[in-house]
Amino acid sequence: QVQLVESGGGLVQAGGSLRLSCAASGRTFGSYAMGWFRQAPGKEREFVAAISWSGGNTYYGDSVKGRFTISRDNAKNTVYLQMNSLKPEDTAVYYCAAQLAGAPRVPEYDYWGQGTQVTVSS
């Protein structure tokens, strides 16, 4: 069992930055691939970024490529999402997720956090 808790969301102006964190419980965090997804009101959940268990492979959605960076610290059981050059269309609830195996871009992860709100004002 893995429990995930996101933090770092908030209100920011367009062009600004935020860093989201996702703290995981359990001693097997290093075995899990991690992902970030987001969901805006009335829209489907969207893939944002993912990182392999070792951190050696990263994946990004087209809409965030070049602006967002995913990273992880297995010693701290934490995955991060650095978000730069934020746009109003980045406004959404951001979810952290963990899986042992599976396609990184597909929202069929084993465990999910409760989400953190990111609001970007124009």
Side-chain angles (χ1 to χ4, degrees):
Q1 187 79 5
V2 176
Q3 292 185 326
L4 305 172
V5 179
E6 302 96 334
S7 62
L11 174 64
V12 64
Q13 288 188 332
S17 298
L18 281 175
R19 188 176 81 155
L20 304 183
S21 299
C22 173
S25 65
R27 293 175 288 179
T28 59
F29 173 76
S31 301
Y32 287 83
M34 302 297 296
W36 286 98
F37 292 79
R38 67 187 183 186
Q39 189 164 20
K43 295 188 176 182
E44 293 187 352
R45 191 162 293 191
E46 177 189 10
F47 170 73
V48 175
I51 188 166
S52 61
W53 65 271
S54 66
N57 293 300
T58 57
Y59 311 84
Y60 295 95
D62 289 341
S63 61
V64 307
K65 200 172 296 183
R67 299 188 298 123
F68 290 10
T69 302
I70 188 170
S71 61
R72 67 189 296 161
D73 185 337
N74 286 347
K76 295 183 178 180
N77 280 17
T78 302
V79 63
Y80 305 98
L81 185 68
Q82 178 67 43
M83 305 186 295
N84 298 329
S85 302
L86 282 161
K87 305 174 181 180
E89 50 264 44
D90 294 318
T91 296
V93 177
Y94 283 70
Y95 297 91
C96 171
Q99 65 177 0
L100 286 174
R105 302 172 187 272
V106 178
E108 294 178 349
Y109 283 54
D110 301 317
Y111 303 101
W112 292 84
Q114 82 289 348
T116 185
Q117 176 70 45
V118 172
T119 303
V120 184
S121 63
S122 57

